[in-house]
Amino acid sequence: MQSVVFGWLIYAYTKDPMSLGLIGLAEAIPAVGIALFGGHLADRFNRKKLILILLFFMLVITLLLSAFTYNENDSFARMGTFPLYFLIFLTGVARGLLSPSIAAFSAQLIPRQQFGNASAWSSTVWQLGAVTGPALGGFIYGFTNAFTASCSIGIFIGLTLVCYLFIKSRPLPEIHKSENLFESLVSGIRFVKNNNIMLSAISLDLFAVLFGGAVALLPMFADQVLHTGAEGLGLLRAAPALGAVVMALYLAYRPPMVNAGRTLLWAVGGFGMCMILFALSRNFILSMTLLALSGMLDAVSVVIRSTIMQALTPDNMRGRVSAVNTIFIGSSNEIGAFESGLTARLMGLVPAVIFGGTMTLIVVLVGWKKSPALRTLNLNRILNESGDNGTGS
């Protein structure tokens, strides 16, 4: 919901594709900059308490957004778009700190043998929010106003905070060696660098999302290509998540664990092809279908990569390894949004998305050739091993 509100507010005021790219950059910079420290906190302090504090911080951000949109015309006239970008920046700070704690805390609640199944269900529930969020945000914004939509966001964040109150805390895993702050911050990077399978999976998703995503440009497609308003934009934003929900539900019963690496490469390649076809489409239904299919393929990638991260990371490293994942994967969406906005300004809207999809296909071909360990990965064997596996070999 928040992404639709921010995106439509800024685009309606500026009519500039670069402004949409800057939305992603404004969130990615703080998320990347503070993620390693967030991972350090998640491995040193009570993870549930950290989550509650950061959710409250996100609630405050939403209240400030509501104050800006109460009289948005007056707010824009007096302050321009700076307050919105500042709130996006604060959202990035919150996300950079929150993601490692959530990932590390969640892994403590799940038996090792159930990581694959749990990843699929977690993706399903998350994508249900991603389906209803943009659509609901677009409808509320379209039929009422931005203030009502932002207040609704605050209600849902408040409900999220309450839900976490009902989850029991878990003790922190034992720290095997003393580390100073700097050593703790870089240990997650060192762990991923020395793990061939994990590094390959993260790199594949990083470049695919960096080049292949067209989500940041959907306001332009809704306005200039498909000729729909905020309501249509909400549906377009929801389409990938809708496809992801359908696929994640299937994967919960049939997780792709045996030929996981090969399946991951095919899924990312199919995602890139969907982006190329979406750029060429001029039909709203066809565009939604292609976005939904891209979401289905992305869900395969998410489930496999999440299972790899959980299966190959020891408990006392989960926060810091998750922080590295946030840097290379989570923020690649926002950096990719900046890349999309920049290429759209330089090349034009449709050529920019075709270029991104083509680059995704090239990345998959390189990954297929250069990473035989990922191509032959069998996650069933790894998940059935006893104890933590920190080698990835």
Side-chain angles (χ1 to χ4, degrees), residues 12-59:
Y13 181 75
T14 64
K15 298 293 184 181
D16 182 4
M18 193 64 180
S19 67
L20 297 175
L22 289 173
I23 293 175
L25 193 64
E27 184 173 356
I29 289 175
V32 169
I34 205 168
L36 290 179
F37 184 67
H40 168 78
L41 292 178
D43 288 337
R44 293 295 187 275
F45 299 97
N46 185 286
R47 291 164 177 171
K48 177 183 173 180
K49 289 182 179 179
L50 284 172
I51 292 170
L52 292 175
I53 292 170
L54 292 166
L55 283 173
F56 180 77
F57 181 52
M58 293 185 69
L59 181 60

Side-chain angles (χ1 to χ4, degrees), residues 2-15 20 23 72 76 84 141-142 218-220 222-223 228-234:
Q2 194 174 63
S3 64
V4 170
V5 172
F6 277 129
W8 195 260
L9 269 173
I10 290 176
Y11 180 70
Y13 181 75
T14 64
K15 298 293 184 181
L20 297 175
I23 293 175
E72 61 187 83
F76 276 125
L84 293 178
Y141 193 153
L218 286 183
M220 290 189 68
D223 181 43
T228 183
E231 301 89 341
L233 172 62

Side-chain angles (χ1 to χ4, degrees), residues 326-342:
T326 297
I327 292 173
F328 286 96
I329 301 300
S331 296
S332 64
N333 290 283
E334 285 69 40
I335 298 174
F338 175 73
E339 180 270 339
S340 297
L342 180 61

